[in-house]
Amino acid sequence: MLIAMALLTSALAATVLLSAGNRSLAVDAQVDSEGLTVAEKFLESAQAAARKDFRLVNPTTTLETIGPLTYTKKLEVGPMSDFFTKTVTTTVSWPGTYGRTQHISLTSLVTNFENVIGGDTCYSPLVNSQGAPSAKWETPSQLQVTPPITLGSVSGIDDPSGAYPISDMEVYQQKMYIAVGSSAQNTSMTMGTAAINKNTTGTAAWSGATGALASGGSSATVSLTGNATSNYLWVTGFGTNFSIPNGATILGIQVDVMRSPSNSSAIVDNGVRLIKADGTLAADNKAKTTTWGSGNTQVTYGGPADFWGDLSWSAAAIKNSGFGVAFSAKNTSSQTRTANVDYIGVTITYTKQFYALNLATPTNPSFVGPLATSTISQAFNAIASDGKYAYVATASTTKQLAVISVSGSQPSEVKDFGLSGGAVGNAVFYKDGYLYLGLANSSGPEFTIIDVHNPLNIPATPTGTYEVGAGINSIFVRGNYAYLATDNNTQEYIVLSLADLLHPQFVGAYNAPGNNTTGNTWGLGKSLYTVGDTLYAGRNWTNSGSTPQLVVLDTSAATPAAVGSGKTLGTNMSLRGIVVRDYLAFLLTGSDTQGGNLQIANVRDPLNIPATASIPLQSGGKGGAALDCEGNYLYAASTDAANKGYLTVITAI
């Protein structure tokens, strides 16, 4: 990481005319000194802006008049060296004597220490691929826009026809973490394709092992002398019949065995184990201690939330031909008995809820890996990351937060966190070792601060809470303030002070105009983005063509105040995501009936926001789902009517 430092260079573009004598030189020296002071103050103001909000440091040109002279002050930014550092150059020029133009340039590096661990890695200046300032961002036809990429078609997932309703995404240091709003699914019960006797346990061998591969017909049998134990009935090849997507997250494994004793109820289970792809056995032995009883009985082992003591399951591991079930029986009597197994069937419970993509080539994301196993069967709603862990707000009412390690080659769930109140997780934001979680309307506090300095050992009691009395749809934290977009129809946007994390305090709220009556979602707070003291707030459709979905708020005072009349973005469109770079706001819209798009608005003057330009995402469907930015690339996620998730990558060339 580069340490912020000032590298001062000065260049005096002046030619001394000897005929002017020493008086001209003296005057130039005095003006040079004054110009240097102006340049130093200008540079200091850029450094102060960076400390307040790194997004405020963008190219500008202004004038300053001191006495008889007018100084032209130009701030240049870039080119981008990394996600956390900007090179800023302030150039001050002025008219010198005898028509000469003089200038002084000062260069400094400013560093965004706040976002080195988690945070915004978007490069706020609007530049092209060479890092030069570019006005192309204002005109969609001049941008490079990739054709929408279906999440299911990404190599490694290989499920182009599958439903992947993207609910949120987070881009951080060339990785994209995607939350998918998909709940649990079950495969049909599937039989194996290969069965043998495996003499790694017991002494009695199974005969007719292949009889356990189908219902009816012959059975696998073993004759057990007094107190004898059978070998393993080793059944594999289930995976060749499973249609589980490669990127699925496994929630549980259930085994059903149709078994019967031939003579009496003296037979019990000895071992019921899962066989992993490498031929080793999973940790848990699910053998039951009760005797089998008489007649054919289907008995269930494991279940839709049971990993059999092993968290290494993945779709690929289960579809491997080596995956299977090892079954052994024991005779508890002194007389010879026979055990029969008609079939062994396996059912897999899985979901599609989390995906990690590599963005080393930003326009061609590649699959890193799915979340192999999860203790949460409900959909994932929102996501944030610090680079080592992804923090996911879930649709569970008892485990609203999932913590996923993303630093290795295989994402893995390492912790879950639950809150009382019976509400699902809606929004999440990470900053400086704390996780800010927003719930749907709850009987308890909807806003919760969780200490995640050690994600593997999260304190059971939250650091702080605040009861909004309404659902929270988006959270943005900057400095000592949290900004909340809520379902409160008289306080769509709330500001909380975080000066004391143990006791968040209400600072102020904004009541957005328009039709937002109790009982519907019209006009409620939906999305947020801050730059300095300006809050860009997105709303649901307001059932009124004249009421804006984009509201620009001044947060410099205790109570947020609207700046201008905002911007309307289309009938039935809700504003689901916002990214602001310099003077342009990128606005992700969506409608469950009309689809949506990415609109570009010039917000240099919030009092007069001109018509927006538009980038289509995909035809029909639900429209925009999530928006993020890293470096000089925008990433827009959208979902169609068939719940397919799409990614669109946008940059200036």
Side-chain angles (χ1 to χ4, degrees), residues 138-141 145 587 589 596-601 611-617:
E138 300 182 55
T139 309
S141 62
V145 181
L587 311 170
T589 66
N597 53 31
L598 181 66
Q599 300 189 32
I600 305 172
T612 61
S614 179
I615 298 174
L617 297 179

Side-chain angles (χ1 to χ4, degrees), residues 226-303:
N227 299 306
T229 300
S230 78
N231 295 157
Y232 275 129
L233 176 58
W234 195 267
V235 182
T236 57
F238 293 89
T240 58
N241 294 321
F242 284 131
S243 58
I244 308 170
N246 289 336
T249 299
I250 305 303
L251 297 173
I253 303 169
Q254 177 174 309
V255 173
D256 288 280
V257 179
M258 181 66 81
R259 65 189 196 186
S260 66
S262 296
N263 304 91
S264 73
S265 59
I267 296 176
V268 297
D269 296 339
N270 176 63
V272 183
R273 309 278 291 273
L274 289 183
I275 307 167
K276 297 195 288 186
D278 62 1
T280 61
L281 298 177
D284 286 358
N285 181 356
K286 298 293 184 181
K288 299 182 185 296
T289 58
T290 56
T291 56
W292 284 19
S294 60
N296 279 334
T297 304
Q298 179 173 303
V299 181
T300 297
Y301 304 86

Side-chain angles (χ1 to χ4, degrees), residues 383-566:
I383 192 165
S385 177
D386 62 4
K388 293 184 178 180
Y389 297 92
Y391 304 95
V392 183
T394 82
S396 169
T397 58
T398 57
K399 298 179 180 179
Q400 292 92 344
L401 175 67
V403 182
I404 299 169
S405 173
V406 294
S407 56
S409 58
Q410 177 69 59
S412 60
E413 182 183 330
V414 296
K415 189 74 175 178
D416 56 57
F417 188 89
L419 296 164
S420 61
V424 303
N426 265 357
V428 68
F429 194 96
Y430 172 87
K431 183 177 182 293
D432 297 341
Y434 290 95
L435 201 283
Y436 301 87
L437 178 65
L439 304 183
N441 196 3
S442 167
S443 61
E446 292 85 4
F447 179 74
T448 301
I449 304 172
I450 303 169
D451 187 341
V452 293
H453 284 87
N454 182 357
L456 301 180
N457 188 25
I458 298 174
T461 302
T463 300
T465 61
Y466 183 84
E467 186 163 1
V468 176
I472 298 174
N473 299 317
S474 183
I475 300 171
F476 206 106
V477 177
R478 190 183 64 79
N480 286 328
Y481 296 95
Y483 303 92
L484 314 179
T486 82
D487 285 340
N488 186 328
N489 66 343
T490 61
Q491 294 182 335
E492 290 86 354
Y493 306 103
I494 291 175
V495 184
L496 301 179
S497 170
L498 303 178
D500 179 2
L501 289 177
L502 300 178
H503 305 97
Q505 297 294 316
F506 178 85
V507 173
Y510 177 74
N511 181 14
N515 188 344
N516 51 0
T517 56
T518 302
N520 61 51
T521 63
W522 294 336
L524 299 179
K526 183 64 178 175
S527 53
L528 297 169
Y529 200 87
T530 72
V531 180
D533 291 326
T534 303
L535 175 64
Y536 298 88
R539 306 173 66 192
N540 287 333
W541 165 243
T542 64
N543 199 33
S544 169
S546 61
T547 306
Q549 292 101 326
L550 172 65
V551 180
V552 183
L553 302 175
D554 180 2
T555 60
S556 59
T559 300
V563 182
S565 57

Side-chain angles (χ1 to χ4, degrees), residues 2-7 43 47 81 85-88 107-111:
L2 295 173
I3 304 301
M5 57 182 291
L7 304 174
L43 182 61
Q47 293 169 328
S81 57
T85 306
K86 291 176 179 176
T87 303
V88 294
T107 298
S108 175
L109 300 178
V110 293
T111 302

